[in-house]
Amino acid sequence: MKKFILGTIITVLLLITVISVQQGLLLAKPLPYDDEQTGLSTQITIHLSHVVAENTPKGQAANKFAELVEEKTAGKVKVHVYANASLFNDENEFRALQKGDVEMIVPTFSKMTTYVPSWQVLDLPYLFHTEEQIHEVLTGTIGEQLLAELEPLRLRVKGLGFWYNGFKHLTSADQPIHTFEDLQGLRIRTMPSRTLEKQFEAVNAKPTSVSFSELFTDLETHTIDAQENTASNIYSKGFYKVQKHMTITQHGILGYAVLINESFWNSLPEKIQKQIIAAMKETTEWQFEQARSMNDQDMQKLMQQDHFNVYTMSKQERLRFKEQLTPVYDFYKTHIQTNDILTEIEKVVTP
Ligand code: SIN
């Protein structure tokens, strides 16, 4: 009996050993560590959401920023970029940033005027004449002053800087716009900025605020007759497929505030904050040039489209348009202006 019990125990032990070896439970070597695993405890991830295509000035800048942050932090910080409103759109991205559902967003400064009304100064029509002036304002002390305006508002977000896209022009469905009178009665899409609304009211058009991700459909279904945008946005979003006319007006500018969730920012070690700021500065310089060349190239492509006419508004008509838009400045000065930033910008743009 004893022999039988001992034999059974030995057989069971042998079986357990064989199965364990087969399953790799015994004699298993420790798993090799790769970069991802060694970094797991210290890896920082930034999710960056934006609403335009990748092949646009903002899309390219976001990718460049991600590349530079990773390089400057030696891989410790990874930036995941979500383009084309695939994560959040115009309507919900700012709330998502405030709640910390996303760490970074890059809205147009016009869309931010709901929260920072004073940024409407950048929406004033025919304020800037050259891209050098825009660069000086957005990246110099005036840009810093504008970003500082976020602080007292306690929005729980921090501004890292401004990026630029380009001068805005007009596109329209059936009616070409050769003079500002041609805008009369048109349902025209604007971003949500009171100054932009006033701009179109001043020419008796009907401004309507529409999210960028819905604009193509609204133009296609003729819910909206016209819109203002840069060549790169018009080309990359295919607006030329659902509009027949474009008028080069350069009546305004399109640019972006690069925003980060404040508690997330404060949680970062100082060294990482400095590396991110350095990546931001380098991206900004790079992207001004990039934006200029993308808009030039996309304008050429727009000019080559069949069934899409590109017209340049004459100098004389642009002067009349500008003159007609003077009440927009009165509106800004009476209802919005709270500081001397317009005077500061005027010093830069005065020839
Ligand atoms: C963008 O460039 O982010 C969108 C601009 C727009 O809404 O027209």
Side-chain angles (χ1 to χ4, degrees):
M1 186 63 180
K2 265 189 190 165
K3 273 189 188 163
F4 174 73
I5 293 172
L6 196 66
T8 311
I9 291 172
I10 290 171
T11 311
V12 169
L13 281 175
L14 271 173
L15 269 174
I16 291 174
T17 311
V18 169
I19 291 168
S20 299
V21 168
Q22 272 180 349
Q23 299 291 314
L25 298 174
L26 281 179
L27 310 175
K29 288 189 196 134
L31 280 173
Y33 273 84
D34 60 20
D35 284 355
E36 287 286 318
Q37 285 167 325
T38 47
L40 273 185
S41 56
T42 50
Q43 185 77 63
I44 297 167
T45 305
I46 296 178
H47 302 93
L48 185 158
S49 169
H50 69 80
V51 301
V52 293
E54 279 199 53
N55 57 335
T56 55
K58 178 162 68 176
Q60 298 278 300
N63 292 348
K64 178 80 175 174
F65 175 72
E67 197 182 295
L68 287 175
V69 167
E70 190 164 342
E71 189 184 298
K72 288 187 191 301
T73 62
K76 195 161 180 182
V77 182
K78 286 211 187 324
V79 182
H80 293 292
V81 179
Y82 299 85
N84 273 318
S86 57
L87 204 54
F88 295 105
N89 60 25
D90 280 345
E91 262 89 50
N92 55 22
E93 66 174 6
F94 189 68
R95 285 287 299 131
L97 180 71
Q98 287 183 305
K99 281 165 61 195
D101 292 344
V102 65
E103 285 78 28
M104 285 184 73
I105 62 169
V106 192
T108 62
F109 42 66
S110 313
K111 287 171 193 167
M112 279 300 295
T113 59
T114 315
Y115 307 96
V116 198
S118 58
W119 286 7
Q120 283 173 73
V121 68
L122 298 171
D123 283 333
L124 286 168
Y126 286 115
L127 179 58
F128 296 96
H129 313 297
T130 67
E131 294 194 317
E132 286 69 29
Q133 294 167 354
I134 300 164
H135 180 269
E136 187 175 338
V137 166
L138 293 184
T139 64
T141 49
I142 299 178
E144 280 165 18
Q145 257 175 280
L146 287 166
L147 284 181
E149 291 187 11
L150 282 168
E151 283 158 29
L153 297 172
R154 298 183 184 283
L155 294 168
R156 306 194 301 280
V157 305
K158 179 180 167 56
L160 293 183
F162 290 105
W163 287 344
Y164 174 62
N165 184 323
F167 278 109
K168 287 184 291 186
H169 312 286
L170 298 168
T171 67
S172 54
D174 301 316
Q175 176 172 322
I177 298 159
H178 291 182
T179 70
F180 71 79
E181 284 92 345
D182 294 328
L183 284 160
Q184 186 167 344
L186 293 190
R187 290 162 300 182
I188 187 154
R189 179 268 181 171
T190 63
M191 293 180 277
S193 151
R194 290 177 69 203
T195 295
L196 292 181
E197 279 165 29
K198 288 285 160 204
Q199 167 186 270
F200 289 119
E201 282 168 9
V203 291
N204 300 314
K206 295 180 193 150
T208 312
S209 170
V210 174
S211 160
F212 189 64
S213 45
E214 277 155 33
L215 183 52
F216 183 92
T217 310
D218 281 4
L219 294 173
E220 190 177 32
T221 55
H222 290 255
T223 313
I224 294 288
D225 303 306
Q227 63 93 39
E228 56 169 2
N229 232 308
T230 59
S232 59
N233 277 352
I234 295 167
Y235 184 74
S236 63
K237 273 287 165 183
F239 296 152
Y240 63 91
K241 296 176 188 161
V242 287
Q243 298 265 272
K244 288 200 194 96
H245 306 280
M246 173 166 177
T247 308
I248 300 176
T249 48
Q250 296 204 171
H251 64 277
I253 66 161
L254 186 72
Y256 308 103
V258 184
L259 304 177
I260 192 161
N261 175 280
E262 197 171 53
S263 348
F264 172 75
W265 177 256
N266 293 337
S267 75
L268 296 174
E270 205 182 319
K271 185 173 166 204
I272 297 272
Q273 290 182 345
K274 285 193 177 139
Q275 288 162 332
I276 292 177
I277 287 170
M280 177 64 201
K281 285 213 162 88
E282 201 175 320
T283 306
T284 304
E285 285 311 312
W286 176 88
Q287 84 86 211
F288 260 85
E289 267 312 303
Q290 186 72 5
R292 190 194 306 244
S293 95
M294 285 196 100
N295 275 302
D296 286 352
Q297 283 169 26
D298 289 345
M299 184 67 90
Q300 293 307 316
K301 291 181 200 155
L302 287 169
M303 286 174 169
Q304 286 157 17
Q305 298 304 315
D306 294 334
H307 317 296
F308 186 68
N309 305 307
V310 181
Y311 172 83
T312 306
M313 188 177 264
S314 69
K315 194 167 174 212
Q316 191 189 352
E317 280 308 324
R318 271 167 64 178
L319 287 174
R320 282 185 67 240
F321 193 12
K322 185 176 175 187
E323 184 70 23
Q324 182 73 11
L325 296 173
T326 312
V328 185
Y329 281 74
D330 300 336
F331 165 80
Y332 171 80
K333 287 177 187 163
T334 318
H335 298 283
I336 312 291
Q337 188 165 31
T338 52
N339 55 35
D340 60 357
I341 284 200
L342 178 56
T343 318
E344 292 299 310
I345 296 179
E346 276 167 345
K347 283 184 205 155
V348 173
V349 300
T350 307

